[in-house]
């Protein structure tokens, strides 16, 4: 399974995997794909620096990338204390009452409280770029579209191509015009921030809209058949995320006696019908695992979610509390509809191997149909 | 492009096209696909009988099918007068005010008022089956899932296979257990009644769920690349609808000076972002062209849609008025996200030819990627 992107990036397969786990990212890279480490969880640049040093030592000199979250429109800036003041008390009360109703235990007294994901503040995302370009990264992707022009220039000056997610052909064209090198067409079925147009329609529209700019297909991809479908639609590769949240190497989050995190337990149990697209995680529409937490925000009397970045700061301690509890029915986690196919914990190398053989089987079957 | 379904149905291509237009259905059949005539618009069995006679005379002895709309749960029955009484006055007032606000002209005094689509009453759908099985039809599809067992038996006794739409693997499995012969996996991006799971995820789930029962992929298919993607996902054929609403042969609806209907003008202008999934057309969630009419139902103060079949009866005269006006910004029309690719009026034979050559091009490209 080789496209032009394999030569361009020095990878065996055009499989790009976004993951918050450096263990998974490194394993993807070692298995012949391109592991892309999500930076948004690093509020402190030093933490990212340490993890990228680890990546350098554990990728056998093979290529990897990083993913930042930089909104096109600059959001509210300031320290977390300043931003805290912008959150209405009614919202805080709703969160407290909901956690009590759901039976989510408080954090231990001595545990540090998460201050929320600050990675979508421009200042923090810029610090991620500063750190990353000093490492031998081969790609910087922005999960929220084109980064500002000076950031694109900075990344290009370091010899690194820029990728940007797009949920419509119009956005994709804008990214290409802005100098983005690779467009990721992210369909409605994808996890996290996602638009309304499904991959089957979106991918060929984006391919046709951006001319020579290569397109990765994202959303709904978890098997070799789906890789074949994505490439049939004209993509030069796939961008995956959800399917690697149940990789054996994924070690973020507290472990339950089963050896899995509470979020992994929830994902293993979910069907493709068990996701919702809501603004409650970040302030922008993102597909999440359906849970008693998302149900509470859908109920009568629940407040409207706040804009980015306030919403995530509002719910950050709630996320921390739920991820440290043992109840898989009350979790907050971005994941795509492909969660219905995530039914076992598998090593990254096995997932990649199935993508490759499944692609070969599907395309061989298509040859028989073409005759 | 041949799958087992081609031999089973005696067709050249596994392309099944649902259409309310007998002209389009016959042209699809003559072009080597299987034209499937939608019966829901025939409130009187005699009208359907006349049109099926026309089909018999215009399909050169090649196979065609029909599509009925029979909800699994029996809806409110009765004459249209009885049913009329169940519609709240507040809903009628909202419709009247909205049409006035949108500037939609009244119907001419002497024109018959549509009594609404009664085809989803079981009694009417059963009359469609009665009429259809006396013709040499090769397929009866039900747009709302498994028909009742006695209807399946009646159709099978006539030697005709039954197809049923499914929006989830669970529903698909139930259809297969009920004796349905072909499952149509209809993704979120499809026009008309549709679920939440997108085709990329739904199709392989349904294929895996129903064992040997053949699956047609529906939702998001309008080009040969999308046919290739659907078959890569494991479908044995495609079920299309929207893409043939702008076929040259489509002659339903009053013509504007352009030679097109107001609805066709609206579809030609729309992008893939210009659809919404709402209950306002039939009472069940259906994807519609976004318009000032759908916007009005989304506005603050709009009433909740009524259940099937009341909602369609409520809005039937409004639909008639909008379809006879000349304003493409105020229309009510089920269509899928593929509407963004419906940018010209083309003969059915040209659409089919592009599907076939596009499939060949896409699968040849995949061969190069497989190496």
């Amino acid at each position: 399974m080789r496209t032009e992107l394999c030569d361009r990036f020095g990878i065996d397969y055009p499989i790009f995997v976004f993951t918050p786990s450096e263990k998974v990212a490194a394993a993807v890279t070692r298995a012949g794909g391109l592991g892309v480490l999500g930076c948004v969880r690093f509020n402190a640049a030093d933490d990212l620096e340490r993890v990228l040093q680890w990546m350098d030592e554990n990728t056998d000199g093979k290529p990897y990338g990083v993913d930042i979250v930089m909104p096109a429109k600059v959001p509210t800036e300031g320290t977390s204390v300043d931003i805290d003041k912008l959150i209405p008390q009614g919202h805080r009360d709703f969160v407290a009452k909901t956690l009590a109703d759901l039976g989510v235990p408080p954090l231990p007294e001595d545990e540090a409280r998460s201050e929320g994901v600050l990675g979508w503040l421009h200042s923090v995302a810029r610090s991620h770029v500063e750190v990353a370009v000093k490492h031998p990264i081969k790609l910087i992707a922005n999960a929220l579209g084109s980064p500002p022009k000076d950031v694109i220039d900075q990344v290009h000056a370091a010899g690194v191509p820029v990728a940007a997610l797009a949920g419509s052909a119009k956005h994709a064209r804008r990214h290409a015009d802005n100098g983005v090198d690779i467009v990721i067409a992210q369909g409605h079925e994808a996890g996290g921030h996602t638009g309304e147009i499904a991959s089957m329609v979106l991918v060929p529209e984006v391919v046709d809209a951006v001319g020579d700019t290569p397109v990765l297909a994202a959303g709904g991809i978890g098997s070799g058949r789906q890789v074949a479908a994505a490439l049939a639609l004209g993509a030069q590769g796939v961008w995956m995320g959800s399917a690697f949240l149940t990789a054996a190497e994924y070690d973020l989050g507290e472990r339950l006696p089963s050896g899995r995190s509470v979020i992994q337990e929830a994902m293993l149990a979910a069907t493709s019908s068990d996701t919702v697209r809501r603004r409650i995680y970040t302030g922008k529409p993102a597909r999440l695992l359906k849970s008693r937490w998302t149900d509470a925000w859908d109920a009568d009397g629940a407040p409207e979610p706040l804009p980015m970045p306030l919403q995530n700061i509002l719910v950050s301690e709630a996320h921390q509390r739920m991820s440290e509890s043992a109840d898989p029915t009350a979790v907050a986690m971005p994941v795509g509809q492909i969660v219905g196919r995530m039914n076992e914990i598998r090593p990254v190398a096995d997932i990649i191997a199935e993508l490759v053989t499944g692609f070969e089987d599907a395309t061989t079957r298509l040859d028989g149909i073409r005759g």
Side-chain angles (χ1 to χ4, degrees), chain A:
Chain A
M1 194 206 309
R2 292 191 69 81
T3 66
E4 282 171 27
L5 291 178
C6 294
D7 297 327
R8 180 156 167 191
F9 283 94
I11 51 182
D12 296 333
Y13 312 116
I15 299 171
F16 294 67
V17 176
F18 160 79
T19 173
S21 157
E22 67 272 19
K23 306 283 170 57
V24 172
V28 167
T29 285
R30 292 195 306 268
L34 194 102
V36 180
L37 180 71
C39 294
V40 79
R41 72 180 168 94
F42 299 100
N43 287 354
D46 284 357
D47 293 340
L48 176 61
E49 171 59 29
R50 264 189 301 277
V51 169
L52 292 186
Q53 281 176 18
W54 185 93
M55 287 290 292
D56 295 339
E57 292 158 9
N58 287 277
T59 42
D60 303 346
K62 292 182 172 181
Y64 74 89
V66 299
D67 178 275
I68 58 173
V69 183
M70 197 178 263
K73 202 173 139 202
V74 178
T76 310
E77 281 280 356
T79 68
S80 61
V81 176
D82 295 339
I83 292 174
D84 247 14
K85 293 182 190 148
L86 300 174
I87 297 177
Q89 188 58 39
H91 281 71
R92 294 187 196 278
D93 294 344
F94 172 79
V95 169
K97 179 174 185 315
T98 299
L99 291 173
D101 291 349
L102 297 178
V104 179
L107 294 177
E109 284 291 331
D110 56 348
E111 182 167 324
R113 268 58 179 165
S114 162
E115 51 183 345
V117 178
L118 302 180
W120 34 68
L121 300 182
H122 267 218
S123 53
V124 176
R126 281 174 185 274
S127 78
H128 294 154
V129 174
E130 291 287 347
V131 168
V133 292
K134 290 180 190 139
H135 289 263
I137 58 165
K138 298 298 179 206
L139 182 70
I140 288 188
N142 183 19
L144 292 177
S146 295
K149 183 165 185 327
D150 70 293
V151 172
I152 295 177
D153 291 345
Q154 176 190 11
V155 175
H156 281 170
V160 176
V162 174
L165 266 75
S168 72
K170 187 174 137 190
H171 290 164
R173 210 174 294 118
R174 193 189 306 153
H175 299 340
D177 291 346
N178 288 345
V180 163
D181 305 281
I182 294 178
V183 171
I184 303 165
Q186 166 127 319
H188 177 72
E189 53 270 66
H193 296 124
T194 192
E196 299 204 337
I197 309 168
S199 293
M200 184 69 90
V201 172
L202 180 68
V203 174
E205 280 195 340
V206 168
V207 167
D208 292 347
V210 298
D212 292 336
T213 306
V215 173
L216 302 178
I221 301 173
S223 72
R225 285 178 286 184
Q226 288 153 330
V227 174
L231 300 186
L233 294 173
Q236 288 211 17
V238 295
W239 174 267
M240 299 173 64
S242 301
F244 289 84
L245 294 171
T246 47
E249 290 86 346
Y250 193 95
D251 64 355
L252 301 178
E254 309 251 336
R255 299 289 113 177
L256 298 176
S258 65
R260 304 160 185 163
S261 71
V262 68
I263 288 172
Q264 284 181 320
E265 293 287 4
M267 293 188 295
L268 292 171
T271 75
S272 57
S273 298
D274 296 325
T275 72
V276 291
R277 181 172 168 270
R278 298 287 186 272
R279 295 204 300 110
I280 65 173
Y281 197 88
T282 69
K284 288 180 187 286
R287 185 172 301 285
L288 310 172
L289 199 60
K290 187 178 187 305
S291 72
R292 292 194 299 140
W293 169 254
T294 65
D295 291 346
W297 283 88
D298 284 344
D300 287 343
E304 280 296 300
L306 301 172
M308 182 180 273
L310 301 181
Q311 178 67 18
N312 185 268
I313 293 165
L314 167 68
V315 295
S316 62
E317 190 178 319
H319 288 177
Q320 191 179 3
R321 282 172 61 178
M322 289 188 282
S323 72
E324 295 186 14
S325 87
D327 180 358
T329 71
V331 296
M333 182 67 194
V335 74
Q337 292 183 338
I338 198 66
V339 71
R341 199 167 277 280
M342 292 156 51
N343 301 322
E344 56 177 334
I345 303 288
R346 289 189 297 163
V348 164
D350 289 7
I351 301 174
I352 301 263
E354 191 287 325
L355 294 173
V356 174
T357 59
F359 170 83
E360 287 168 357
D361 292 347
T363 54
T364 303
R365 191 161 35 74
L366 288 176
D367 285 348
I369 293 172
R370 191 177 65 229

